Each structure stands twice: as structure tokens, then as C-alpha cells.
Amino acid sequence: MARSFEVLLSTLTALYAKAFDALRPAADAALREVANIERPRGEFEQVKAIQTSLAVLECNVVNMRQLLMSLLDNDDDLHMLYLTKVHDNPSLLQGDVTFDVDEVVAILEAQLQDIYGIVSHISLMMSNIQHTARVVDLMWTSKRNYLLLIDMSLRVMLMLMYCTNYWTGAFGQNLKSNVEENEGLFWGTSLVCTAWTFGAYGVVCKVFLARGLSLSWHKRV
């Protein structure tokens, strides 16, 4: 009985170990691709799928470990594992069962050690995946914030140009004046509008910078 019980547990443990070994190369390759590719959208989805498979495997292994631990803590269940001995001598079930169960205990402890190793490897891989997911999320957040800063910067510049457009629109109106003949006024207005646009933009940038927000286009990842 002890031998068949050991073979059964060894087979289950080997199946779990084989399932993890089948997932580990794909997980390692996907994590390397996510770390090296600029936009790892497809690879990130693959990592998520592997993470789901690892979570299911971890749940099964942990449940098996809990089952074996509960079995190890229950003396009555340990004695009932000796089916052949109990079948040949039913009187053993009369009163307190006192025969030795060290062999089964040794088998359970050995299998629990193997299962603990599998759980540790799965937990380590899950931690690597979660860490990579956080890094990728930070990268995407940084890129999104960078694009928002560019959008805000362009909006500020466009708003300032609208102000100068309103002023220079007076030259295009069909009014009787000598403005079009005054070259100095034309160049003076052009310089004032240019100075206003870039000067006001610089002031706005300094105001935002004083509040901890830089409108610089320099990308900081």
C-alpha cells in the first residue's frame, strides 16, 4: 500500500512539475521580449495569458499541499491508508489504532518537500511577471504623460497665436487707412506679435514649472 501511495503522489507531483517546466520557457521568452520591445502590446498579452495559467497551476498545487498537510496532521487518516493491513486484520480498527505509520509519514513529508519546491518556483515566476507588468505600466504612463505635456504645450502656443491673429487681422480688414503703406508699422507689429507669442509662452512655462509641471518637450522616461 505504501509503495502504491508513493507512486500516486510522485506521479501527481511530476505532472505539476512538468506543467510548470512547460510554461517556464514561454514565460522567460515573453518577459525578455516585453523588456526589450518598445511597444510590447502583443507580448504583454501573452505574458498575461501565461500568468493566468500559472495562477491556475499554483492553485492546484497549493490545494494538493493543503490536502497532504491535513492528512499528515490526522492520525486516524494516516492509519486508514494501510488498507491491506486493516483488511487482513480488522481487529486493528477496534478501539484505538496504535500501529506504526512512520513509512506513510516519511512519504508525505518527502512529497510535501517536492511540492513546496514547485510552489516556490511558481511564486518566483509570478513575482517576475508582476514586476515586469508594473515596469511596463510605468513606461506606458510615462509616455502618456509625455504626450499630454506636448498637447498642453501646443495648446498654449496656439492660444497665444490666436491673440496675435486677432491683432494682425486688422490689417486684412477693408478699411481706408494708410496702414498698408507704413512699412515700419508692419515690421513693428510683426516683431511685437512674435515677441508676445514666445515671451508669453516662456512666462506660462515658468508659471507651470513653479507649480512642479514642466512643459519641456525633453522626454524623461
Side-chain angles (χ1 to χ4, degrees):
M1 171 59 194
R3 178 58 181 170
S4 60
F5 183 63
E6 181 180 7
V7 171
L8 176 61
L9 293 181
S10 299
T11 302
L12 291 176
T13 304
L15 288 176
Y16 289 137
K18 184 177 180 180
F20 174 73
D21 291 338
L23 290 173
R24 180 164 55 181
D28 291 337
L31 290 176
R32 285 194 299 269
E33 291 178 357
V34 167
N36 296 327
I37 297 178
E38 181 69 18
R39 296 180 179 178
R41 187 173 302 275
E43 291 75 11
F44 190 68
E45 293 298 328
Q46 182 182 1
V47 170
K48 285 293 187 181
I50 295 174
Q51 184 181 17
T52 302
S53 300
L54 285 174
V56 173
L57 179 61
E58 183 181 25
C59 181
N60 293 333
V61 176
V62 169
N63 288 337
M64 180 179 176
R65 183 182 65 177
Q66 293 176 349
L67 176 63
L68 295 182
M69 290 179 64
S70 64
L71 182 62
L72 190 61
D73 293 336
N74 193 318
D75 291 337
D76 292 336
D77 290 339
L78 290 176
H79 286 94
M80 292 303 297
L81 291 175
Y82 288 86
L83 298 179
T84 303
K85 182 180 292 187
V86 172
H87 179 269
D88 294 340
N89 190 2
S91 61
L92 293 175
L93 298 178
Q94 303 296 326
D96 295 334
V97 184
T98 58
F99 59 86
D100 190 23
V101 293
D102 290 343
E103 185 179 4
V104 173
V105 171
I107 293 173
L108 289 175
E109 290 178 347
Q111 297 302 319
L112 282 172
Q113 188 68 25
D114 294 339
I115 291 175
Y116 179 78
I118 297 174
V119 173
S120 299
H121 285 94
I122 294 176
S123 299
L124 180 60
M125 182 62 68
M126 293 285 286
S127 298
N128 291 337
I129 292 176
Q130 292 172 359
H131 174 71
T132 303
R134 286 194 294 267
V135 171
V136 172
D137 184 65
L138 288 175
M139 290 173 56
W140 287 353
T141 301
S142 177
K143 292 178 181 179
R144 182 193 62 188
N145 293 339
Y146 174 66
L147 293 176
L148 288 176
L149 285 177
I150 293 178
D151 180 71
M152 183 181 298
S153 179
L154 292 176
R155 286 177 181 272
V156 170
M157 181 68 73
L158 186 61
M159 181 185 66
L160 297 175
M161 292 180 66
Y162 278 154
C163 296
T164 60
N165 187 40
Y166 176 78
W167 170 253
T168 56
F171 291 96
Q173 295 179 3
N174 189 17
L175 299 176
K176 184 178 180 180
S177 65
N178 62 345
V179 172
E180 65 275 7
E181 300 175 359
N182 192 333
E183 185 176 354
L185 183 59
F186 170 77
W187 289 110
T189 302
S190 299
L191 291 175
V192 169
C193 291
T194 302
W196 156 258
T197 301
F198 290 99
Y201 179 77
V203 172
V204 171
C205 289
K206 288 185 177 180
V207 171
F208 276 100
L209 186 61
R211 296 178 179 272
L213 180 61
S214 175
L215 294 183
S216 173
W217 287 20
H218 178 66
K219 187 176 181 180
R220 296 180 298 275
V221 179

